[in-house]
Amino acid sequence: MPDQKYEAVIGLEVHVQLATKSKMFCRCDNQSEDATPNQNTCPVCLGMPGTLPVPNQTAIEWAIKAAMALGCTIPGESKFDRKQYFYPDLPKGYQISQYDQPLGGPGTFEFDLITKDGKVEPKKVGITRLHLEEDAGKLTHPDGADYSLVDLNRAGTPLAEIVTEPDFRSPAEAKAFMQELRLLMRTIGVSDADMEKGHLRADANISIRKVGDKKLGTKTELKNLNSFKFVEKGLAAEYKRQIEVMEKGEKIDQETRGFDEAKGKTVSQRGKEEAHDYRYFPEPDIPPLAPKELGVNAKGLPELPVAQKRSWRKAGVHSEVITLVGQDPVEVKAFATALEGTTDASAAGRFWLLGRNNKALAKDEFKSLMRFTIEASQDTTELSGPQAKQLLAKFIESGKCVKELLADPAFQPMDNADLGSTVDQAIKDNPQPVADFQSGNENADQVIVGAVMKATKGSADPGTVSKLVREKLAKR
Amino acid sequence: MSSQSSDVSRQTSDSTGAYLNRYDVKASMDALANGSLKDVPVAIKDIIVVANDYPSTAASKILEPFKSPYDATVIKKLSEAGAVITGKTNLDEFAMGSSTENSALGKTVNPWDESRVPGGSSGGSAAAVASGDAPLALGTDTGGSVRQPAAFCGVVGFKPTYGRVSRYGLVAMASSLDQAGMFGRKVEDVATLLQAVAGPDQEHDATSVDQPIPDFRKALTGDVKGLKVGLPKEYFIDGIQSEVEKAVRTAADELKAAGAEVTEVSLPHTKYSIAIYYIIMPAESSSNLARYDGIRYGLSVPDATSLLDTYLETREQGFGDEVKRRIMLGTYVLSAGYYDAYYKKAEAVRSVIRQEFDEVFKNVDVLLTPTTPTTAFKIGEKTDDPLRMYLNDIFTVPANLAGLPAISVPAGFDKQGLPIGLQLMGKQWDEETVLRTAHAYESKHDWHAKSPGDSK
């Protein structure tokens, strides 16, 4: 996919919806998922005459936490500003946001990219800023109606806006950052960070340049990339489009574009000349803030996922396991606890992977899976795949401890002498496949391996069996 | 005064047009003499929202049908103190004006001379108190909107320190300047009203400040011995009515005679006050008035054919000329390319003005100035000349820019029998000294006991 000639230069602007109990500037319930339209509103978030914003202390603290977790510098002074424009979903005619003194200043965030061949590549991303603002409401346009409907439940929900430097070199990197960001926000507990529910919303700036060039090309802005898939696909489509424009010798226009999934293309939405003058000025209703004096301490943050995943990798947990477990901080925590209970991290990863999709094991924050993983990874590293599956099934069925279950002879690893005679018997019983194999059909040995597995009721390790069958066939 | 007329009849006619909506209520002034508001009538400027069957209009067509779903914090506090609200008084639309002539919903005249303005923007509240309709009234003061009409109507008008009284429920004009203010016939009554509404409002106003609240009436000792009074020379300018200047200078002499030390001081940046006020105030106003868009409440022009049309038509029909003028000014000074030259520079000068006051207040306790350059002017005299109208606020605006407490007290009458006001400004949070000085001065005269009817 990456072009030999052009590299992508991508920066992200991400809105993270903070899961505080109340809204940013009033006491309304911030959780409106099941609310009827305009249920969670009050004179303040409706922008009634005479109302004033009182900032939510928790939202400010959480934004500072998020800024710290992203490696931002925390400034001595910060303030809110008004960003002004008219729209029916914006009750006051301005959005309270932060312009030139955000809660989080420039910093660097480092995380690990996993390449397609499983290699781990550390990636540094410059974080330009993190600021806090209020969300607008939602406008719906009923089919065929000559009116629109406004729902202001979401108006006033706290948002942390994170702006990165143009440090991503491919759509896949941008997507990986979004996934890491989701885990980070969940881990520090400031957002549910569910992209499907709009807790995490991304806009991207993208330009291309010839590999080796230092100068940035003209960028376009891609709006509303509201799933991980869209982040990657939308950027890939725009990357491709820009290459085509350049190759034709044409110029790229600075504009806002949207991703049309059905067509797999980006489409122009508005040009730069229509850009707003937001007439920012300091919000006079809210005194300036002193973020460093609010008692938010980097030491108070939990272990951050990048560091945690690195320690797992070092302990021998397979990358695939880390990627899967690392989606959800609840699972991360449970898995980390399981790792503490065992000395074989690699085996723990294997057993965890085996049971993580089982609902019975995953309930109660993975309590049962934790137990199974700890018990199984102590003594059962010799188990074959099918044996391990069987063990898991028995564990779920009986609830007995693994040690007790292992007393069943089905879980005894067969010694190679026993296995040898079983293989001999299988070769004897299957003359045709043997003949096929010897006349060059490389896959014919699978029939014999299958027969051995059947004879051992799955207790043999398929790898060992396969090796043994080949050895014996070769000797004939 | 307050002890004379118990059981005010609410049937008396509102001859000055002080009210936009006058409530039918029973009240009594008895408790006021004891510093209590129990059953005491209080008139409310109609820029302060009250949750009842009457609209809260800000004297604007755009809010003419608007009924507030909530009470302003000052209204809540008044109710808790047992006060009775007599109704909503007239004002310049959105408090933008110095004569109440900019009201879109009513006309108020000066109780001392019906051909003259009551001042503004809280002209209705000042007229209601001067005409004896209510002993007390609430107003708002952004650039002098309580003190200037108090001076024109011959009553006491007080603007506390910015942050002393909650702004929640005051329809915002300029958020960094607006402050609720009080009208009364006597300083003591104003202190009682201040006591009831002062205090932080952490739930609803982030700019209200948690400062200790003294007993304001107790500050009225009548003693000014050793008090350091400053006369800022920049407040005695050419064009000031000679009787006004004379009244203030006489007051200085009287304070001196009572044991105060009077010195001349200088506040050189005062001359920029009006210029920067007319940048900062419209900037904030243009933003605060953006919410009146015809979408959620108030006027909404029904036959608009598009969203843009709804905005344009509603605001075209709903706002008066002065409001539009300030929205345009404010939008301009905040625009890209002009922000640094206007708004930012104005804020820088504002800081200098603040520092200048801080410096002066190291040497004096209170500043004595005229409240206005002249006594009440004729209706229509300045409506065609906004600049001349703006200059009426020249002495009152600095206290708003610096957030300081300031009072206007009756200081006699001019040849035409029109009231003169003098202004006292104090340090931040030092309402006590301002009130004490005003009260000591007031107690040497009987002007506050004169009513419009007496002089004719």
Side-chain angles (χ1 to χ4, degrees), chain A residues 46-50 82 91 277 285, chain B residues 70 167 169 287-288 296-297 336:
Chain A
L46 291 174
M48 289 278 178
R82 292 185 184 177
D277 177 359
D285 288 329
Chain B
Y70 76 101
R167 290 187 294 118
S287 177
N288 285 329
R296 294 168 313 285
Y297 50 75

Side-chain angles (χ1 to χ4, degrees), chain A residues 381-406:
Chain A
T381 45
E382 303 291 310
L383 285 189
S384 70
Q387 274 180 319
K389 268 187 200 158
Q390 230 178 326
L391 178 67
L392 177 72
K394 290 226 158 128
F395 176 83
I396 295 168
E397 187 193 302
S398 68
K400 286 183 185 159
C401 83
V402 170
K403 210 164 199 165
E404 205 175 320
L405 294 171
L406 286 175

Side-chain angles (χ1 to χ4, degrees), chain B residues 224 229 231 236 243-258 260 262 368-370 409-412 420-424 437 440-442 444-445 447:
Chain B
V224 291
V229 179
L231 282 174
F236 297 91
E243 294 149 297
V244 172
E245 175 163 356
K246 194 173 164 231
V248 179
R249 298 220 181 263
T250 306
D253 293 341
E254 288 170 15
L255 287 169
K256 208 169 179 177
V262 179
L368 170 63
T369 77
V409 209
I420 295 169
L422 68 75
Q423 176 178 240
L424 293 158
T437 313
Y441 171 74
E442 175 191 74
K444 298 273 192 279
H445 303 278
W447 296 317

Side-chain angles (χ1 to χ4, degrees), chain A residues 27 43-44 46-55 81-82 84 86-88 90-94 100 150 152 277-287, chain B residues 49 63 66 69-70 162 167-171 175-176 202-207 283-284 287-288 290-292 295-297 307 311 315 331 334-336 339 343:
Chain A
R27 300 287 176 93
V44 176
L46 291 174
M48 289 278 178
T51 57
L52 298 169
V54 175
D81 298 276
R82 292 185 184 177
Q84 317 198 58
F86 285 96
Y87 208 60
L90 190 69
K92 298 186 295 297
Y94 56 83
D100 54 357
V150 193
L152 295 173
D277 177 359
Y278 290 117
R279 304 192 311 281
Y280 280 100
F281 80 105
E283 167 57 277
D285 288 329
I286 305 173
Chain B
V49 301
L63 281 178
F66 174 71
Y70 76 101
Y162 182 82
R167 290 187 294 118
Y168 187 66
L170 273 53
V171 176
S175 312
S176 73
Q202 271 144 356
E203 178 112 357
H204 287 302
D205 180 359
T207 62
E284 294 181 8
S287 177
N288 285 329
R291 66 189 61 194
Y292 307 109
I295 303 288
R296 294 168 313 285
Y297 50 75
L307 178 61
Y311 290 154
R315 290 167 71 84
T331 304
L334 291 177
S335 298
Y339 179 86
Y343 184 84

